[in-house]
Amino acid sequence: MGMTAVEKVLARASGRARARPGEVLYPVPDFIMIHDGVVMGAKRELDALGIDRLAAPDKVVMVTDHDVIYGSVRAAERGDFNRKAARQWGVQNFFDVGRGGHGHIFPMETGMLLPGMFYFDNDRHATNAGAIGAFGFRVGAEISRVLATGTNWVMVPKSARIRVSGSLKPGVHARDVGFHLATRIANGSLAIDLDYRVLEFVGDIGQFDLAARTALCSSPTEMRAYGVFFPPSDKIIALATARAQRPFTPVYPDADASYEADLVLEVGALEPQIALPGGVERAVDLSQVTGTAVSHAFIGSCGSSMYEDLVTAASILSGRRIHPGVRLFIAPGSERSTKRMIDDGIMKIFIEAGAVLLPAGCGPCNDAVIGPVHSGEASISTAANNNSGRFGARDAKLYLGSPATVAASAIAGKITDPRSLAASQEVLRLAREAA
Amino acid sequence: MSEFDWVLKGRCYRLGDDVPHAGGVIPNRYIIARQFDPAELIPHLFEETDPGFHERCRPGDIIVTGRNFGMGPKMNGYIAMRALGLGLVCESMPFLAYRAAIGEGLRVLTDCPAVTEICGTGDELEVDFRNGLLVNRTRGVSREYPPMPEALMDIVALGGNSGWLRRWWQERQNA
């Protein structure tokens, strides 16, 4: 019997011919990512054990994305600690404040993360790697063992497969598909358990560019998937080849690979979705909540912060102003996207619309270190999830939508179907050229 | 170190399905406070559902749960369980809860279907975590479940990730 994508990648990284679900392997990663918030814990743990050098400092990538501009004095102290840690450990790939951006976005844009790769990460949204045909595995605080020894145990996960059928209607976005998929899984109409599974997307996925594939990695992760995988298209391979910092070998599942579940997801009739407060799996058609007042809006996060997402939002905001009672935050996924938006005029659209530009990174979608909601408020955003208290007061109502829906809703001051506002064709042309 | 005890003999403490770590295992305030000190955590194990549990349980006792135990990657409750010398046998637990329990050096079996149907609180149990054999002496029944993966036994025997790393580093220094 053949192997799924994750089985192939783990076998290769572990120096094995095969990998089977349930086996414990010690894969050697192509790199090791550690985010700003956990460096201190890992460093202190290793220091206390007397472990003063890392197995492979050249493989370590330290990113500053969760608390980029230091929302507190404590965060500033942590930044200082992280800089010293990078020096002591000899980490060259240190992306300090204002360098790089979101660790689950910019490595795909700069050719650091390439098809077929495997890496360890402390953070669970490393699943984004599947957008480009790679795997990033979350090990949480156990990243310390990876730093010290160069690897850690991985139990090979089971794989499931979703066959996408149909083409999205104009104005419907990959995030809408994600919310819908999560809701179908939660209500049992798609019989699939994603806990520690890798979800492979197949079928009509040619319509999804890298940004859309990234968006589709988000909701399954919230449903506890450990990995998501898109077999890289010719377009993705061409893009990766153009950016690649080193040679790579794409991986595709075998035709006779075995899947725990193999289901079809029809998307042709899908309407824009809104995930109601409390979880990505609480999605309804946008029409059911049209007109709900919002005062906080945010576009960004690991699910919706690629250049194409930002341009989609800008196409709605172009020539318009956001509602006087709304504050709209934009957090690009990378410094690269921020610079690109200056060059092509997208930044001007955001600023003229009255939006606030945040540094590249996670934005409010991390413990509200920046731009939180207050008690009683309603927010609409593209955050990774809308669990109670995700970015501020626990009783605030957090709605999720696509970048286009958030832009349209910020303009109207209430939840609004983006198809009701004409998008700037000139701006959309930029997005097409980018893709 | 002395030989690690892979067989626990003690009383069953049975719980149902979907017990969350926060509240169900240990009050959320200790999770939020990142309290990892066993002495601080022990008095609060199962405090919200069964105050005084830590005074009644004995080393070797085995917590037997239904499906979806622990829910999430939090480890505070497992620290208290290990310090009390308890074992854990679950019908199922989310993978990250399982990984967190291993990482704290807890003797744990998961994927033990219907185990709550053959055990009740107070039953005398014997569980061998090396081969997955559970014997209920009170009821005279036994079952074989998936054992702890051999590759993970080192971590548990050494007291969890920190203990494992400490020995790894010592061996490296001595090599």
Side-chain angles (χ1 to χ4, degrees):
Chain A
M1 198 186 315
M3 288 190 283
T4 66
V6 72
E7 289 160 13
K8 277 193 170 176
V9 168
L10 288 176
R12 189 269 301 161
S14 309
R16 301 275 211 93
R18 314 199 62 78
R20 288 283 169 231
E23 274 186 284
V24 175
L25 300 177
Y26 297 87
V28 176
D30 291 294
F31 61 89
I32 302 160
M33 180 166 286
I34 181 165
H35 297 255
D36 45 352
V38 298
V39 173
M40 190 180 266
K43 182 79 166 59
R44 286 182 171 162
E45 183 189 346
L46 295 181
D47 285 351
L49 295 168
I51 301 175
D52 55 6
R53 53 184 182 271
L54 305 188
D58 54 316
K59 281 188 182 178
V60 178
V61 180
M62 275 174 69
V63 295
T64 309
D65 50 10
H66 280 62
D67 196 351
V68 182
I69 53 169
Y70 307 154
S72 63
V73 173
R74 202 169 143 255
E77 287 166 2
R78 193 167 55 215
D80 181 53
F81 185 99
N82 291 356
R83 278 185 279 278
K84 286 174 181 154
R87 272 201 302 279
Q88 286 173 17
W89 278 339
V91 172
Q92 299 299 316
N93 281 308
F94 173 42
F95 294 89
D96 204 344
V97 176
R99 309 280 189 277
H102 197 307
H104 299 143
I105 297 289
F106 81 81
M108 289 191 275
E109 298 177 346
T110 59
M112 176 193 292
L113 177 58
L114 297 158
M117 278 188 171
F118 172 80
Y119 80 97
F120 282 112
D121 192 315
N122 65 274
D123 192 285
R124 65 199 175 96
H125 285 284
T127 50
N128 268 13
I132 204 160
F135 286 98
F137 266 25
R138 174 231 184 256
V139 288
E142 287 183 52
I143 197 75
S144 54
R145 175 165 167 178
V146 183
L147 292 169
T149 71
T151 184
N152 201 339
W153 66 274
V154 165
M155 190 177 283
V156 180
K158 294 176 184 168
S159 296
R161 190 161 60 176
I162 291 275
R163 188 170 299 278
V164 176
S165 172
S167 297
L168 294 185
K169 293 194 285 194
V172 181
H173 185 271
R175 279 306 289 276
D176 295 313
V177 178
F179 301 141
H180 175 65
L181 173 64
T183 303
R184 296 273 315 269
I185 292 170
N187 71 21
S189 66
L190 277 178
I192 188 170
D193 175 4
L194 286 187
D195 183 50
Y196 201 64
R197 270 52 167 200
V198 167
L199 184 62
E200 290 188 14
F201 281 99
V202 292
D204 295 329
I205 56 172
Q207 61 189 313
F208 300 127
D209 60 15
L210 184 64
R213 290 172 186 224
T214 303
L216 270 167
C217 290
S218 184
S219 292
T221 306
E222 298 301 322
M223 303 298 286
R224 300 189 193 157
Y226 217 60
V228 180
F229 182 83
F230 285 85
S233 61
D234 292 347
K235 266 188 185 173
I236 299 279
I237 295 295
L239 177 146
T241 304
R243 298 168 176 176
Q245 295 180 15
R246 55 171 138 162
F248 66 96
T249 308
V251 164
Y252 296 88
D254 291 326
D256 58 346
S258 170
Y259 295 88
E260 188 186 37
D262 202 352
L263 302 165
V264 174
L265 183 71
E266 302 278 353
V267 299
L270 189 69
E271 293 286 301
Q273 301 287 298
I274 295 288
L276 301 179
V280 296
E281 76 287 1
R282 291 170 44 78
V284 295
D285 283 354
L286 186 150
S287 58
Q288 289 188 33
V289 286
T290 303
T292 304
V294 293
S295 54
H296 177 277
F298 157 54
I299 296 166
S301 92
C302 43
S304 302
S305 62
M306 282 207 161
Y307 177 79
E308 292 80 356
D309 298 306
L310 302 165
V311 170
T312 299
S315 73
I316 307 279
L317 287 162
S318 178
R320 299 190 172 101
R321 283 194 60 81
I322 63 171
H323 190 274
V326 174
R327 58 194 189 284
L328 168 62
F329 298 105
I330 311 285
S334 66
E335 291 296 329
R336 191 173 173 273
S337 286
T338 303
K339 292 187 185 82
R340 196 168 167 190
M341 291 195 299
I342 292 171
D343 294 342
D344 62 19
I346 298 294
M347 186 75 88
K348 191 163 182 280
I349 294 172
F350 283 133
I351 300 300
E352 286 183 351
V356 177
L357 255 295
L358 298 179
C362 301
C365 190
N366 162 50
D367 281 349
V369 295
I370 189 169
V373 288
H374 65 74
S375 180
E377 217 175 5
S379 163
I380 185 156
S381 77
T382 62
N385 72 55
N386 55 346
N387 301 338
S388 168
R390 176 77 180 177
F391 38 92
R394 294 192 70 81
D395 69 347
K397 289 191 162 49
L398 309 180
Y399 297 89
L400 300 181
S402 75
T405 297
V406 174
S409 304
I411 293 164
K414 56 193 180 189
I415 293 178
T416 300
D417 191 327
R419 296 172 301 185
S420 67
L421 298 174
S424 161
Q425 290 307 310
E426 195 188 337
V427 174
L428 284 177
R429 187 175 49 78
L430 283 173
R432 278 197 301 276
E433 286 169 7
Chain B
M1 62 183 285
S2 59
E3 191 62 24
F4 187 75
D5 212 349
W6 286 106
V7 181
L8 288 184
K9 291 177 192 170
R11 298 163 304 174
C12 168
Y13 184 70
R14 191 178 68 178
L15 298 169
D17 295 334
D18 303 313
V19 175
H21 204 92
V25 178
I26 205 140
N28 192 36
R29 60 185 182 278
Y30 299 102
I31 298 173
I32 291 172
R34 294 172 177 257
Q35 177 59 261
F36 303 127
D37 179 354
E40 294 288 331
L41 292 169
I42 281 173
H44 307 290
L45 184 63
F46 299 126
E47 184 180 49
E48 291 184 13
T49 48
D50 189 6
F53 169 83
H54 69 285
E55 289 168 344
R56 292 192 303 279
C57 72
R58 293 197 294 256
D61 284 354
I62 292 148
I63 298 156
V64 176
T65 84
R67 290 183 295 277
N68 198 29
F69 181 76
M71 291 155 77
K74 306 304 177 196
M75 68 280 274
N76 315 65
Y78 308 129
I79 294 173
M81 288 180 201
R82 175 176 171 270
L84 285 164
L86 308 176
L88 179 63
V89 175
C90 304
E91 290 188 2
S92 73
M93 57 199 303
F95 185 81
L96 291 184
Y98 177 72
R99 181 155 196 145
I102 297 284
E104 293 307 329
L106 190 65
R107 283 158 287 201
V108 56
L109 296 181
T110 187
D111 296 322
C112 308
V115 66
T116 55
E117 290 171 21
I118 60 153
C119 302
T121 295
D123 288 357
E124 291 292 334
L125 303 184
E126 184 174 326
V127 178
D128 189 335
F129 292 83
R130 290 168 304 191
N131 57 21
L133 180 67
L134 180 146
V135 180
N136 186 331
R137 301 230 173 269
T138 305
R139 301 192 187 188
V141 293
S142 63
R143 292 281 188 282
E144 277 185 49
Y145 297 115
M148 282 205 53
E150 210 177 325
L152 306 183
M153 294 177 93
D154 239 14
I155 300 171
V156 172
L158 291 165
N161 292 321
S162 284
W164 187 94
L165 262 180
R166 183 176 293 114
R167 192 198 57 175
W168 173 84
W169 184 244
Q170 280 166 358
E171 285 180 353
R172 231 175 122 89
Q173 301 300 95
N174 298 336

